[in-house]
Amino acid sequence: MKAVCWEGRGDVRVETVPDPTLLNPRDAIVRITSTAICGSDLHLYDGFIPTMQEGDILGHEFMGIVEDVGRGAANLKKGDRVIVPFPIACGHCFFCMHDLYSCCDNSNPNAWMAEKFYGYTAAGLFGYSHMLGGYAGGQAEYARVPFADVGPFKVPDHLTDEQVLFLTDIYPTGFMAAENCNIQPRDTVAVWGCGPVGQFAIRSAYLLGAGRVIAIDTVPERLKMANEGGAETLDSMDPDVFYKLRNMTGGLGPDACIDAVGMEAHGPHLDYVYDKVKTMTFMATDRISALRQAIHACRKGGTVSVPGVYGGLLDKVPFGAAMNKGLTIKTGQTHVHKYLPRLLRYIETGEIDPSFVVTHRVSLDEAPDMYRTFRDKKDGCVKVVMKPH
Amino acid sequence: MAVAAMNYEGRVNVGRVERWLSMVAGGALAAYALKRRDKPGGAVALAGAALLYRGATGHCDLYQQLGINRAHGNGAREFGTGVIADRGSDTREQLGGGRGIHVEESVTINRPLSELYRFWRNFENLPTFMNHLESVSTREEGISHWVAKGPARMSVEWDARIINEVENKVIGWQSLDGSTISTAGSVNFGEDAHGTRVTVHLQYNPPGGKLGAAIAKLFGEEPNQTIREDLRRFKQLMEAGEIPTTQGQPSGRKRRPSYTGTKA
Ligand SMILES: NC(=O)c1ccc[n+]([C@@H]2O[C@H](COP(=O)([O-])OP(=O)(O)OC[C@H]3O[C@@H](n4cnc5c(N)ncnc54)[C@H](O)[C@@H]3O)[C@@H](O)[C@H]2O)c1
Ligand SMILES: [Zn+2]
Ligand SMILES: [Zn+2]
């Protein structure tokens, strides 16, 4: 089959690889009909996540038709149309039982490696480094899905791929980011980053009762999309973001701040240059200007919610501000499974149509170009969906 | 150990990973991790470490943990986490006064205690999650025969007997006199807020020479990690019904196999 492989920093290629097979009783094989590129893939593409190996198959936002099922996944059958959550979860450990699916204890074959980095391992993820499982991803014609009796979620035929595909990751991610804000009616929520995650965070914040959302980014078409979602916008390259936020909130600051940017933030301030130098010289692993600003801007007693991905050690985190202002910080890889029934209902009732983020529809062969376009935010690119079949 | 001990077949940028590790894990752990990998033939180093450990802790509570007797009497009188058996089963005697390597690892499993106990007590099951074991068979009541995969297709075999058993609580075993390997161990089961806690204590004393090196390798350069991985697989098997793997999945690597998968 054809698959999108990571071949080094800034180098992905479409290669011909063997078809996947069932390896464990609870596995299923899915023939992929739609698969997306995520902002998280850019962290791999840019070489920010360690333990990638040349030839690794990328992709964790995919859906399709069940092609083969192991005897331990009897609730699925050939022909079922499913979306596949990006974290791999066993469904039976303490964490899965508590809806903390992305913290599953039993799905990372390389748990020991993650333990060296993090103390304890999180769930294995599709196509997201060896430390997080080393699983082949879903930017391919087929994928093997472990614990298929727990992960794959059947979707109704009357909804299109593009309407349900983002249940795999970015829609629940934006939703969990907003849910983590503990939004009270009429709260103001500020969202850093208007990529796909930020877009879903904006809409979810309103859905959960926010009175006002202020979105921060510098890419015009992304700001426009945020605006269409009801957000007021600020330019992240404007050195006065903090002051503007303060004035927009009557001197209080936003009730909650969402960092939907993650470890490769850009920024207008000197701290960005500092981060850039430090990460380039291996003295820090992450560039964190958005997170700093979110903590700094948040009102006293407010919440900073961090869906943005961080990898390792963050330098100059304003923890004093967080402590003295009594902030709550919430974060995590998304517990996708937990949100599926609820979010599917919103799609079915027309509360939201997630396909609004899609700007590029291409074949698998165009992956190398699309990674570049998406990373460079060229051509109005917000979300790429690839059609392997 | 650590990242360095991975079976790097591909051209992974080890330097970058190590640097990342050392940043993340902080100096001490990383320095330890990186230094350890240069040590040849783990046996000497390990024995040294074990001696150091013993030196530092004095008389350890091993026998208590292993459920080994110092007093007379038979039957299962509970004693700490362990239980009293008969006098001759003192591992300190067999292991020459308690020398050797001692490992303790714990895991919490979200399954009923009795189910876990039953699975473990059936020693034939152990090789399903202990990768270095080839087979365990029961010879006669209380005596079992253990075959482990050694390096270079050399297998190491020994007989062990149960020296201690309290249902749903503890199983203790010890190699018979004159075995190629001197080993004693115990597994304790206890209820915990988050499931059943399973704790393994293992002590072994590799003989000198070639065989000793083979045995040392058997338990890994880091015996703690080896036992930890065994317990992890036990948990995975009992909770998830299978051990997660990526072995056999496709990749774009032409010849070079993946450097990860299930850790031995
Ligand atoms: N927690 C999870 O489970 C989860 C799931 C999916 C994605 N993510 C993470 O969420 C983040 C966003 O994902 P995405 O797909 O939207 O990525 P993306 O790259 O498309 O979007 C990031 C956006 O942030 C903007 N940005 C950069 N620096 C900024 C700054 N200082 N202030 C404001 N905006 C800034 C960029 O212009 C870009 O539009 C990534 O870190 C991704 O890894 C996390
Ligand atoms: Zn993603
Ligand atoms: Zn689990």
Side-chain angles (χ1 to χ4, degrees):
Chain A
M1 66 166 183
K2 277 196 267 187
V4 178
C5 297
W6 186 93
E7 293 297 344
R9 194 171 172 173
D11 184 4
V12 306
R13 292 177 218 166
V14 179
E15 305 195 22
T16 301
V17 305
D19 287 351
T21 52
L22 299 172
L23 299 176
N24 260 342
R26 294 173 65 190
D27 287 357
I29 304 295
V30 172
R31 181 169 62 85
I32 296 168
T33 54
S34 292
T35 179
I37 307 177
C38 179
S40 300
D41 293 326
L42 295 179
H43 303 320
L44 305 175
Y45 188 57
D46 294 339
F48 269 71
I49 305 278
T51 72
M52 287 296 289
Q53 188 179 9
E54 291 92 336
D56 286 344
I57 300 173
L58 293 167
H60 59 266
E61 299 182 356
F62 61 97
M63 64 176 294
I65 309 293
V66 173
E67 185 79 11
D68 198 1
V69 197
R71 62 186 152 77
N75 57 325
L76 283 185
K77 59 179 191 312
K78 195 173 163 163
D80 283 345
R81 180 168 177 251
V82 294
I83 64 100
V84 180
F86 79 87
I88 300 172
C90 80
H92 299 293
C93 68
F94 170 84
F95 301 94
C96 287
M97 300 296 267
H98 287 77
D99 276 351
L100 299 166
Y101 293 96
S102 76
C103 297
C104 176
D105 244 350
N106 293 324
S107 60
N108 183 357
N110 302 321
W112 62 276
M113 215 188 282
E115 284 175 352
K116 299 291 179 211
F117 290 124
Y118 297 147
Y120 299 92
T121 186
L125 310 179
F126 287 101
Y128 217 74
S129 85
H130 288 266
M131 163 175 100
L132 294 176
Y135 287 101
Q139 287 166 8
E141 290 181 281
Y142 296 88
R144 164 195 169 234
V145 178
F147 302 134
D149 53 324
V150 172
F153 182 72
K154 290 178 210 170
V155 287
D157 283 340
H158 68 271
L159 297 171
T160 64
D161 273 22
E162 284 180 15
Q163 285 177 299
V164 291
L165 175 61
F166 306 125
L167 286 169
T168 57
D169 179 348
I170 52 171
Y171 180 23
T173 296
F175 188 85
M176 182 166 118
E179 190 185 67
N180 277 344
C181 290
N182 185 27
I183 295 171
Q184 303 302 306
R186 304 186 58 203
D187 270 2
T188 297
V189 178
V191 179
W192 275 258
C194 296
V197 170
Q199 299 295 340
F200 282 104
I202 292 165
R203 284 149 183 86
S204 301
Y206 278 123
L207 202 124
L208 293 172
R212 188 179 185 195
V213 178
I214 303 168
I216 304 142
D217 201 311
T218 197
V219 183
E221 57 277 8
R222 294 180 176 220
L223 288 171
K224 181 163 168 287
M225 194 182 265
N227 192 251
E228 285 159 9
E232 294 160 62
T233 59
L234 290 174
D235 183 348
S236 55
M237 294 310 272
D238 179 343
D240 290 338
V241 168
F242 171 81
Y243 301 99
K244 288 188 173 159
L245 278 174
R246 191 170 69 181
N247 287 335
M248 289 166 87
T249 52
L252 277 176
D255 300 289
C257 293
I258 296 177
D259 169 3
V261 175
M263 67 201 295
E264 294 183 69
H266 59 239
H269 294 285
L270 211 57
D271 73 320
Y272 164 70
V273 181
Y274 175 85
D275 286 347
K276 188 149 183 170
V277 170
K278 278 206 106 169
T279 51
M280 275 165 43
T281 54
F282 298 105
M283 289 163 69
T285 57
D286 302 46
R287 291 198 320 245
I288 68 161
S289 27
L291 179 63
R292 278 191 203 107
Q293 203 166 50
I295 292 173
H296 196 66
C298 193
R299 77 148 161 84
K300 289 178 282 183
T303 300
V304 174
S305 162
V306 187
V309 163
Y310 291 92
L313 284 193
L314 281 55
D315 195 16
K316 308 264 185 296
V317 179
F319 206 78
M323 190 277 158
N324 286 286
K325 290 197 291 177
L327 301 186
T328 299
I329 297 180
K330 289 202 149 198
T331 184
Q333 297 281 1
T334 305
H335 308 299
V336 174
H337 307 56
K338 171 183 171 185
Y339 296 99
L340 292 175
R342 179 172 181 183
L343 299 188
L344 178 65
R345 209 160 54 239
Y346 291 147
I347 298 172
E348 285 198 284
T349 56
E351 193 84 51
I352 189 166
D353 181 349
S355 62
F356 76 89
V357 279
V358 182
T359 52
H360 289 65
R361 299 164 175 88
V362 300
S363 71
L364 209 55
D365 293 320
E366 290 165 77
D369 283 344
M370 282 298 122
Y371 265 83
R372 213 169 309 119
T373 305
F374 179 46
R375 180 196 58 195
D376 300 339
K377 284 125 187 96
K378 291 270 169 59
D379 194 28
C381 185
V382 179
K383 193 73 181 176
V384 180
V385 174
M386 299 183 288
K387 295 276 183 188
H389 284 277
Chain B
M1 93 168 232
V3 177
M6 290 187 292
N7 209 355
Y8 274 100
E9 304 276 355
R11 287 184 301 117
V12 174
N13 188 340
V14 183
R16 190 180 169 86
V17 172
E18 282 175 358
R19 235 176 333 216
W20 211 86
L21 175 72
S22 58
M23 279 190 287
V24 172
L29 172 63
Y32 177 66
L34 299 178
K35 211 163 64 213
R36 279 286 298 278
R37 111 183 205 262
D38 304 327
K39 286 262 158 70
V44 179
L46 281 173
L51 285 169
L52 262 181
Y53 166 84
R54 295 207 41 93
T57 56
H59 262 301
C60 77
D61 50 356
L62 236 189
Y63 10 8
Q64 203 168 315
Q65 291 156 338
L66 296 176
I68 286 157
N69 184 21
R70 338 175 28 182
H72 278 287
N74 47 13
R77 182 163 75 78
E78 289 190 34
F79 183 74
T81 50
V83 160
I84 310 283
D86 61 281
R87 188 183 232 302
S89 62
D90 187 333
T91 32
R92 288 187 320 157
E93 261 161 46
Q94 185 165 0
L95 297 176
R99 273 180 294 111
I101 290 138
H102 171 232
V103 172
E104 174 184 346
E105 283 292 331
S106 230
V107 72
T108 299
I109 303 181
N110 193 17
R111 296 298 304 169
L113 188 154
S114 57
E115 177 187 324
L116 301 180
Y117 181 88
R118 235 178 302 123
F119 190 88
W120 194 297
R121 177 61 184 82
N122 188 0
F123 289 158
E124 277 89 9
N125 285 332
L126 298 182
T128 56
F129 62 90
M130 294 187 164
N131 279 4
H132 62 280
L133 283 182
E134 204 150 285
S135 69
V136 182
S137 47
T138 304
R139 278 264 155 95
E140 58 191 79
E141 192 40 41
I143 308 270
S144 46
H145 184 66
W146 300 58
V147 182
K149 300 170 206 158
R153 276 201 236 111
M154 186 151 94
S155 67
V156 183
E157 308 193 15
W158 68 94
D159 286 331
R161 70 191 164 114
I162 295 181
I163 51 172
N164 178 19
E165 182 178 4
V166 180
E167 194 172 344
N168 291 336
K169 226 171 179 126
V170 61
I171 308 166
W173 64 89
Q174 183 183 35
S175 53
L176 295 187
D177 285 348
S179 296
T180 42
I181 178 167
S182 254
T183 176
S186 74
V187 54
N188 286 263
F189 300 83
E191 305 275 6
D192 193 286
H194 296 326
T196 301
R197 182 190 302 205
V198 180
T199 305
V200 164
H201 289 274
L202 191 71
Q203 188 184 14
Y204 65 96
N205 197 21
K210 234 187 179 155
L211 187 63
I215 289 169
K217 227 174 183 157
L218 194 73
F219 288 98
E221 256 186 71
E222 269 184 290
N224 265 93
Q225 189 67 24
T226 305
I227 301 304
R228 190 165 164 66
E229 294 306 325
D230 285 346
L231 283 179
R232 192 198 311 285
R233 280 185 292 265
F234 181 48
K235 174 183 164 78
Q236 290 165 339
L237 201 59
M238 301 317 288
E239 286 184 345
E242 61 187 39
I243 294 165
T245 184
T246 55
Q247 231 116 84
Q249 72 174 10
S251 83
R253 285 177 281 282
K254 295 296 174 294
R255 291 173 314 277
R256 296 169 273 118
S258 168
Y259 65 90
T260 62
T262 303
K263 199 184 185 211

